[in-house]
Amino acid sequence: MELEALLHHFFGTEDPATLTDAGFERGAEKLRIAFGVEREPSRRFALWTLLEALDMAPLPADAFAKEPQLKAAAEAYLSAAFRLERFGDGGDERGDA
């Protein structure tokens, strides 16, 4: 799944910043429903990551309660995203390169 295709499918644009509040909410609802009904694991994970990028994702324990491998992958994704946000993409926690 490509990000631009997902954004266009759910929001009608590749740039959510151009949406009205109502347009964003319509797209967000479509995305939440798609995540809820998707059964193919890799597609489900892709939809979850888009929800996470838009700050709308359920916690991994809730999102993947019956799918321990996806739950672990989602937790690893969140951990990596947190480290990237906190420490940037260069160096580690100590500031080393």
Side-chain angles (χ1 to χ4, degrees):
M1 295 181 143
E2 293 184 22
L3 177 61
E4 292 83 8
L6 287 171
L7 289 172
H8 193 269
H9 177 76
F10 291 109
F11 297 97
T13 181
E14 294 177 7
D15 184 3
T18 64
L19 292 168
T20 64
D21 288 343
F24 183 81
E25 284 305 314
R26 275 192 307 276
E29 183 64 17
K30 287 172 57 176
L31 178 57
R32 286 186 198 103
I33 290 168
F35 174 75
V37 300
E38 181 61 56
R39 295 295 165 239
E40 200 280 310
S42 62
R43 291 180 59 86
R44 188 165 163 73
F45 188 79
L47 294 173
W48 180 84
T49 58
L50 180 54
L51 284 166
E52 176 58 32
L54 296 171
D55 202 26
M56 300 185 298
L59 294 172
D62 297 330
F64 304 111
K66 296 179 181 178
E67 301 159 304
Q69 289 179 317
L70 291 181
K71 178 181 172 268
E75 289 168 344
Y77 176 90
L78 290 178
S79 179
F82 173 76
R83 285 192 311 272
L84 184 61
E85 184 178 306
R86 184 164 181 202
F87 303 114
D89 60 1
D92 63 17
E93 299 89 35
R94 298 178 307 257
D96 298 339

